[in-house]
Amino acid sequence: MRVAIAGAGAVGRSIAQELVAGEHQVMLIERDSEQFEPHTVEQAEWVLADACEVSSLEEAGLQLCDVVIAATGDDKVNLVVSLLAKTEFAVRRVVARVNSPANEWLFTAAWGVDVAVSTPRVLAAMVEEAVSVGGLVQLLTLRQGQANLVEMTLPDDTPWAGRPVRDVKLPRDAALVTILRGGRVIVPQADDPLEPGDELLFVASADVEPQIRAAFAQA
């Protein structure tokens, strides 16, 4: 993919390094000359420009990008970049960083945002996931709140030990997409048995999450 990242601070550079390692084409857009440091991610294309200016984005070739990531430390800037990317350049996928949880409600399709990533929320979810066994933890919101990525770790005394995936009666708007077991990533098949300690990842609408909990409460 060709990915444009607005904001070349610590977050933007880290994202760029990960994407470059994945063999994607990356363009970093930064308006602050003090943060313009091409030597930090040499494989990326660097553009010194204001990502809130349509002419600058056009000159940078934003219309050729598959994904735009608004990763600055300013929520106002991230919203403007997202809106321009979607409405002016028809970018297929727009991901925006949310710096203040109070602003999360703004990061919707109305502002061109496909996926909003709230750093405080993600960190909180990671902490909860690390200490929670048997409970359902929301990791990420998808499609402007239409669905969530949620995780459940099966406890040692789970009644589902040895039971096949096909026996799990999930609600209609929920899907088990991955089982993490030790160092393995398992795409679940109907006959795969569940084991204590399995981390189960679901994509589900928020209103059926209680039903997922109930499905694993007893075998």
Side-chain angles (χ1 to χ4, degrees):
M1 295 185 298
R2 180 168 173 79
V3 183
I5 302 172
V11 172
R13 291 197 302 270
S14 295
I15 297 171
Q17 289 167 346
E18 291 290 334
L19 291 173
V20 165
E23 299 185 353
H24 298 292
Q25 296 179 2
V26 178
M27 175 172 62
L28 277 161
I29 305 173
E30 175 57 53
R31 66 179 179 182
D32 186 350
S33 58
E34 293 184 1
Q35 299 239 54
F36 194 79
E37 301 177 327
H39 67 278
T40 58
V41 191
E42 294 182 346
Q43 303 93 327
E45 175 187 353
W46 285 71
V47 177
L48 183 61
D50 187 345
C52 292
E53 293 287 343
V54 174
S55 58
S56 297
L57 296 177
E58 187 172 8
E59 186 175 344
L62 204 74
Q63 65 274 12
L64 302 176
C65 293
D66 302 295
V67 180
V68 166
I69 303 173
T72 79
D74 188 324
D75 284 344
K76 296 188 295 296
V77 171
N78 290 343
L79 284 171
V80 171
V81 170
S82 298
L83 186 62
L84 292 177
K86 185 65 72 174
T87 60
E88 297 293 329
F89 297 95
V91 175
R92 183 166 55 88
R93 197 73 168 165
V94 177
V95 180
R97 172 188 177 189
V98 185
N99 295 278
S100 172
N103 295 330
E104 285 185 25
W105 66 277
L106 287 167
F107 286 74
T108 66
W111 279 94
V113 179
D114 293 307
V115 178
V117 181
S118 170
T119 304
R121 183 180 293 278
V122 170
L123 289 174
M126 292 299 102
V127 171
E128 188 177 356
E129 187 272 337
V131 300
S132 177
V133 175
L136 205 62
V137 180
Q138 184 184 125
L139 301 180
L140 189 65
T141 298
L142 307 172
R143 300 298 298 173
Q144 297 86 49
Q146 295 178 25
N148 297 320
L149 178 66
V150 295
E151 185 268 354
M152 172 184 287
T153 301
L154 296 181
D156 292 338
D157 60 350
T158 178
W160 284 92
R163 296 283 300 277
V165 168
R166 66 170 176 271
D167 286 355
V168 181
K169 305 302 181 186
L170 292 175
R172 179 178 179 179
D173 294 328
L176 174 61
V177 293
T178 303
I179 300 173
L180 303 179
R181 181 179 297 157
R184 298 176 59 201
V185 177
I186 302 170
V187 178
Q189 305 298 317
D191 293 329
D192 289 339
L194 298 170
E195 296 182 7
D198 280 353
E199 295 180 50
L200 311 180
L201 297 182
F202 304 87
V203 173
S205 58
D207 58 344
V208 303
E209 290 177 15
Q211 295 170 250
I212 299 175
R213 295 187 186 94
F216 286 90
Q218 56 185 11

